[in-house]
Amino acid sequence: MLEASTPVQYVKGIGPRLAEILAAKGIATVDDLLHYLPFRYEDRLNPRSVAELRAGEMATVIAEVRNSGLFRTRRMPIFQLTVGQGRNKLKCLWFNAAYLEDRFKAGQMLALYGKVEEDRDGQLQIMQPQVEILGDINEEGGADEAEKKAAASLEIGRIVPIYESAGQGKLTPRWFRRIIRRTLENLNPDLPDPIPAAVRAHLSLVPVREALWKAHWPEAGESFTDLQSSRTPAHIRMIFDELFFIELGLELKRREQKAQTGIAFQLNDAVRQAIKKILPFHPTTAQKRVLKEIATDMQTPSPMRRLLQGDVGSGKTIVAFQAAIIAIENGYQVALMAPTEILAQQHYFSARQILERAGYRIVLLTGSLEQDRKRDVRRHIAQGNAQLIIGTHALIQDKVEFENLGLVVVDEQHRFGVMQRLKLMRKEGAATARNHVGTYALVRPSERPSPMPEPDVLVMTATPIPRTLALTLYGDLDLSVLDELPPGRTPVVTRALPDERAPEVWDFVRRQIAAGHQAYVVYPVIEENEERELKAAEQMHRQLREKIFPSLHVGLLHGRLDAGEKERVMREFQQGKIEILVATTVIEVGVDVSNATVMVIEHADRFGLAQLHQLRGRIGRGAAKSYCVLMRGGKVSEEGERRLDAMVRTNDGFQIAELDLELRGPGEFFGTKQAGIPSFRVANIIRDRQLLEAAKREAALVISGPNAEISKEEVDRALREMRSRWALTYGLVEVG
Ligand code: ADP
Ligand code: MG
């Protein structure tokens, strides 16, 4: 008897060697195997007789072997088999198939499936058909046997599931059909349904067993369109199932966070005055609304867990600074974490410009500080001398002890996947333990000093995820959206130009600089080939400096420079001493020099939309009109063209995100590759948006239970299932 949690190795026919191949596909348990759904189905109902076959159709045929043989062409051995019924004959060919030579005997009954064609002589043939030997009619009882076998066949006379093969073709679709079928047959029949009956009733979901069976082995009457688009009742149940347990985890997490003791910050007139005083400009309506949402959270005693979403340039930084003031004025420390050192430095500059006037003590903590200095900074933080601590995530997270941390701001969260974020949050729990952001796991509850309040957390991102998706994917966070750009901006004018027109582009850059502006020339670094790209940037830098703009100041910025050098280059660009900055994508996030009005991106066609949009967000930050030139050389892929088109057409981050999502699919879009979101087994969060929302709603209902509809037993079972899935799939056992 197989349980959902049984390792696949123990399924008959698998064993340790094949289990390894399956593991590479993410299939470890019986449950995983059963969620390995066919990627398409073939209609092999109604076997035809040879006489009925027509060229051009996909067909299943049952016929008798007449003769077979291997003949060798110069290029490869070809196996030919002729089958027939009465006078009608059908030829079958397999390339490179010497192994078939001794497989068939005249008189055997075969089931064949494939595309019927006509050869040069007008004779019907099928190339590379699926084949199954049903029996030998020359043997005693052979005909009956063959008939029975045909009826029970997994290959013909039914809708057949087609699975992706695994292990370089070692595990074929056919192999999967057999194994999954056997697994279904041996599955514990008392498998309880982990989704409460009431929830199933709300959405008319079929029970789990039925869903599993029918998703793999649809019944003859099933609509083929529904099957191909994963819209059968069985599919819907399985998709909902997957989303429901993710949402259940997020919802539970959210409630637990809310139940913790946080800090109820005071927002009195003095604090309000302090906030007002620092503002270098009038906040936008959106900024005011968002600040209010944040301030309200901060005043309540439960810890804030808020996601601030706003397109590049929408002015998230100042909102974060305002929140920081609330915390600092209340006597707490604030940590501001950035994904890159350059961005941390950038924030440090602006923080000093904007906040130091108010007398706040601000420190920068980066990996490149000298040991002594680092120790000093840490001491200041531990003793509470430093009020605003700015640094990279790695630094602040791991080793820093705070005197009394009240607010954590995580900037540009889109650089970090959801899973990393969950881990991050968990670590922040450390603050409860020892005012320490990195040791939660190390401190057992009994060793914790008297409970310290949880700091508030504000996470900021420029990834403009459609709102419904954000609500569900980031289900454990409250959401604020900055949906308005600061006034006086003219949208960036974007052009895509072929490399040949570079001279005109450089002329244009020259004129912009003569008019007092600055420019970026970007060489996006391609991950696999960083070395070479770096060289390209360095070469380009030399060429621009020596040949093209000999009378201008051309700086170079890339991730491999040491920190002092980075800082110097950024400062000089900010001060206008450097007029043209040649850079890799290190400038993608956060860099803010509003006098820069031109960005030339080389090889723009090779880069992702989100990245291009982020890069372009570096210009158009002041009142002057800005220009983005996307250079492309050589042959551009069709997708590359579509990306460039989209960039030229719109400046709207949400539109770009939608298109990006469409072009890349959700996995890539959300960076599953970098351990981003849970990679869904059957759901597709774009296609299944509605189910996602239903799952969120129902999850909240179950967590509030038990009630008249949902028994305690059902709630417990659902929670148990959720925990085991989160532990297995996402490696996060700590939920709940
Ligand atoms: P992002 O949301 O991409 O982090 P920033 O916070 O870097 O954006 O802000 C982009 C630019 O807009 C900065 O130069 C900032 O000073 C400016 N800015 C922000 N808010 C306003 C405002 N309300 N009015 C004018 N300029 C603003
Ligand atoms: Mg920013």
Side-chain angles (χ1 to χ4, degrees):
M1 197 69 67
L2 296 173
E3 301 296 337
S5 59
T6 310
V8 277
Q9 176 176 350
Y10 303 117
V11 174
K12 204 172 148 226
I14 295 186
R17 219 166 34 84
L18 297 187
E20 231 165 82
I21 299 181
L22 290 174
K25 277 252 168 197
I27 302 172
T29 62
V30 160
D31 194 54
D32 295 334
L33 185 61
L34 294 178
H35 281 83
Y36 193 70
L37 290 192
F39 72 99
R40 66 186 179 89
Y41 300 83
E42 264 173 22
D43 184 352
R44 300 188 193 167
L45 293 158
N46 310 323
R48 232 73 63 78
S49 68
V50 178
E52 288 171 315
L53 294 179
R54 296 289 169 268
E57 65 184 1
M58 300 294 296
T60 303
V61 200
I62 296 186
E64 187 188 324
V65 175
R66 292 284 158 80
N67 57 58
S68 66
L70 193 68
F71 59 92
R72 294 178 187 274
T73 65
R74 252 196 311 169
R75 285 169 57 217
M76 65 177 93
I78 296 179
F79 180 73
Q80 179 174 331
L81 173 78
T82 307
V83 297
Q85 267 167 343
R87 281 184 296 118
N88 301 298
K89 277 193 300 191
L90 172 71
K91 190 168 77 183
C92 301
L93 297 171
W94 284 268
F95 303 115
N96 253 332
Y99 64 95
L100 286 176
E101 195 169 6
D102 301 317
R103 176 94 42 106
F104 303 100
K105 283 193 304 209
Q108 277 173 331
M109 279 305 264
L110 301 185
L112 297 147
Y113 174 82
K115 181 161 191 198
V116 182
E117 296 168 342
E118 236 168 63
D119 73 0
R120 262 185 244 127
D121 308 324
Q123 206 211 314
L124 291 181
Q125 67 176 21
I126 301 183
M127 310 267 213
Q128 318 265 92
Q130 292 273 338
V131 62
E132 186 172 10
I133 301 172
L134 299 175
D136 192 331
I137 51 173
N138 300 324
E139 286 168 17
E140 196 177 334
D144 289 352
E145 190 61 29
E147 202 168 303
K148 246 198 261 159
K149 208 158 169 195
S153 170
L154 299 186
E155 308 297 325
I156 52 149
R158 57 166 74 240
I159 295 173
V160 176
I162 311 292
Y163 300 92
E164 225 172 82
S165 47
Q168 270 106 44
K170 195 155 186 240
L171 306 185
T172 59
R174 192 186 174 108
W175 183 87
F176 276 108
R177 283 196 279 279
R178 275 149 213 269
I179 284 292
I180 289 176
R181 178 88 181 190
R182 184 176 303 152
T183 307
L184 283 166
E185 280 163 355
N186 293 319
L187 195 61
N188 177 5
D190 299 324
L191 194 74
D193 200 314
I195 298 184
V199 174
R200 273 183 279 138
H202 295 164
L203 292 140
S204 314
L205 300 176
V206 300
V208 60
R209 255 189 104 76
E210 183 184 337
L212 287 170
W213 265 103
K214 288 189 177 164
H216 289 283
W217 295 102
E219 286 173 349
E222 196 62 84
S223 144
F224 219 71
T225 334
D226 286 353
L227 272 174
Q228 301 296 36
S229 55
S230 301
R231 276 286 149 303
T232 68
H235 281 99
I236 287 173
R237 152 76 207 222
M238 290 186 72
I239 292 165
F240 179 86
D241 193 300
E242 178 161 43
L243 298 171
F244 174 74
F245 288 106
I246 288 172
E247 292 305 323
L248 202 59
L250 289 173
E251 186 63 30
L252 189 67
K253 196 166 178 62
R254 175 194 170 83
R255 287 187 193 216
E256 279 177 356
Q257 283 165 354
K258 283 265 141 72
Q260 278 170 334
T261 317
I263 306 158
F265 294 97
Q266 299 285 323
L267 187 56
N268 50 32
D269 282 346
V271 180
R272 276 182 226 279
Q273 275 309 314
I275 294 175
K276 256 208 191 116
K277 250 196 347 238
I278 65 129
L279 274 181
F281 32 61
H282 287 294
T284 61
T285 316
Q287 282 171 324
K288 278 192 221 155
R289 186 190 65 234
V290 166
L291 179 64
K292 203 164 178 186
E293 287 165 359
I294 293 170
T296 308
D297 275 4
M298 290 181 75
Q299 286 170 274
T300 59
S302 62
M304 169 168 77
R305 294 290 180 266
R306 187 166 282 277
L307 175 69
L308 170 54
Q309 205 187 51
D311 205 348
V312 277
S314 58
K316 296 185 287 293
T317 316
I318 198 78
V319 174
F321 286 168
Q322 290 175 313
I325 293 175
I326 300 180
I328 295 172
E329 288 289 327
N330 276 267
Y332 287 90
Q333 290 173 302
V334 177
L336 171 55
M337 315 209 262
T340 65
E341 210 169 301
I342 290 179
L343 185 52
Q345 271 167 7
Q346 171 96 30
H347 280 323
Y348 181 60
F349 288 134
S350 1
R352 284 181 46 187
Q353 273 175 17
I354 294 174
L355 297 175
E356 228 159 43
R357 273 184 277 147
Y360 301 132
R361 293 179 303 276
I362 306 167
V363 294
L364 176 67
L365 187 62
T366 61
S368 52
L369 285 184
E370 279 169 24
Q371 281 308 328
D372 286 359
R373 178 86 189 109
K374 229 184 257 176
R375 209 170 307 129
D376 271 1
V377 171
R378 291 222 184 89
R379 207 186 49 240
H380 283 310
I381 299 170
Q383 293 173 350
N385 296 331
Q387 294 169 298
L388 174 58
I389 298 91
I390 299 176
T392 50
H393 292 190
L395 250 117
I396 294 185
Q397 242 171 290
D398 290 343
K399 304 179 193 126
V400 182
E401 221 170 295
F402 293 86
E403 205 242 340
N404 58 349
L405 183 61
L407 172 68
V408 177
V409 181
V410 185
D411 193 18
E412 300 297 349
Q413 121 81 20
H414 72 280
R415 280 296 192 88
F416 301 85
V418 175
M419 286 301 120
Q420 268 167 299
R421 174 171 55 82
L422 289 174
K423 283 184 189 147
L424 196 70
M425 294 256 168
R426 198 168 51 179
K427 280 203 169 162
E428 273 142 26
T432 38
R434 284 186 187 161
N435 276 345
H436 202 268
V437 187
T439 51
Y440 192 44
L442 304 176
V443 184
R444 267 176 273 118
S446 58
E447 293 171 18
R448 287 184 201 173
S450 59
M452 289 280 205
E454 275 291 300
D456 281 359
V457 178
L458 177 67
V459 182
M460 309 202 287
T461 178
T463 305
I465 308 163
R467 190 179 169 90
T468 49
L469 278 184
L471 277 175
T472 36
L473 267 185
Y474 298 86
D476 57 330
L477 304 180
D478 295 308
L479 182 65
S480 287
V481 183
L482 275 181
D483 49 7
E484 180 188 358
L485 292 183
R489 304 251 175 106
T490 32
V492 177
V493 176
T494 304
R495 288 275 143 71
L497 294 177
D499 278 349
E500 298 87 80
R501 295 185 59 184
E504 289 165 59
V505 174
W506 302 137
D507 272 346
F508 178 74
V509 169
R510 216 170 271 127
R511 283 199 301 277
Q512 284 284 308
I513 287 167
H517 298 304
Q518 288 165 281
Y520 295 99
V521 178
V522 183
Y523 264 88
V525 171
I526 300 174
E527 224 72 69
E528 308 93 74
N529 215 334
E530 202 175 334
E531 265 336 305
R532 269 235 307 271
E533 293 293 321
L534 224 50
K535 244 201 215 126
E538 272 164 0
Q539 251 167 32
M540 194 67 201
H541 172 235
R542 197 170 323 124
Q543 205 202 341
L544 288 176
R545 199 187 52 194
E546 289 169 5
K547 302 254 159 64
I548 300 175
F549 303 112
S551 58
L552 298 178
H553 299 96
V554 184
L556 175 65
L557 186 69
H558 58 71
R560 298 273 181 89
L561 292 178
D562 70 53
E565 180 67 6
K566 275 185 213 161
E567 194 180 327
R568 188 187 60 77
V569 172
M570 271 321 295
R571 194 173 46 237
E572 290 189 5
F573 190 58
Q574 210 128 36
Q575 294 166 345
K577 285 186 194 149
I578 290 174
E579 289 143 328
I580 301 177
L581 185 61
V582 177
T584 60
T585 48
V586 287
I587 59 152
E588 180 187 335
V589 288
V591 172
D592 183 19
V593 176
S594 57
N595 189 45
T597 55
V598 190
M599 174 173 287
V600 181
I601 305 179
E602 299 273 349
H603 304 299
D605 53 288
R606 289 197 263 153
F607 301 92
L609 260 179
Q611 197 168 32
L612 289 172
H613 181 65
Q614 288 288 333
L615 283 169
R616 181 170 59 182
R618 300 305 115 219
I619 54 172
R621 297 191 148 232
K625 194 162 183 131
S626 290
Y627 304 88
C628 178
V629 186
L630 307 170
M631 305 298 291
R632 54 175 152 83
K635 231 172 117 188
V636 175
S637 71
E638 192 188 319
E639 245 196 66
E641 287 288 1
R642 285 185 66 186
R643 287 195 295 264
L644 296 184
D645 269 4
M647 288 293 293
V648 171
R649 223 172 37 230
T650 180
N651 274 294
D652 180 332
F654 279 84
Q655 275 186 35
I656 286 182
E658 293 269 356
L659 187 76
D660 201 17
L661 210 54
E662 202 180 289
L663 286 176
R664 286 196 290 165
E668 290 264 333
F669 179 84
F670 292 110
T672 321
K673 282 210 173 133
Q674 297 117 40
I677 50 160
S679 45
F680 295 100
R681 296 189 294 191
V682 290
N684 168 334
I685 45 173
I686 306 309
R687 181 192 65 196
D688 303 322
R689 272 178 214 208
Q690 281 178 339
L691 283 174
L692 193 58
E693 296 209 24
K696 185 181 169 64
R697 209 171 50 233
E698 297 293 330
L701 210 68
V702 171
I703 296 240
S704 331
N707 55 35
E709 272 193 325
I710 304 170
S711 71
K712 174 156 192 324
E713 205 190 327
E714 283 179 311
V715 173
D716 290 345
R717 188 186 305 130
L719 290 177
R720 245 192 340 267
E721 177 75 16
M722 179 273 290
R723 287 205 178 86
S724 91
R725 288 202 201 181
W726 276 68
L728 285 174
T729 318
Y730 314 129
L732 289 173
V733 237
E734 283 191 37
V735 177

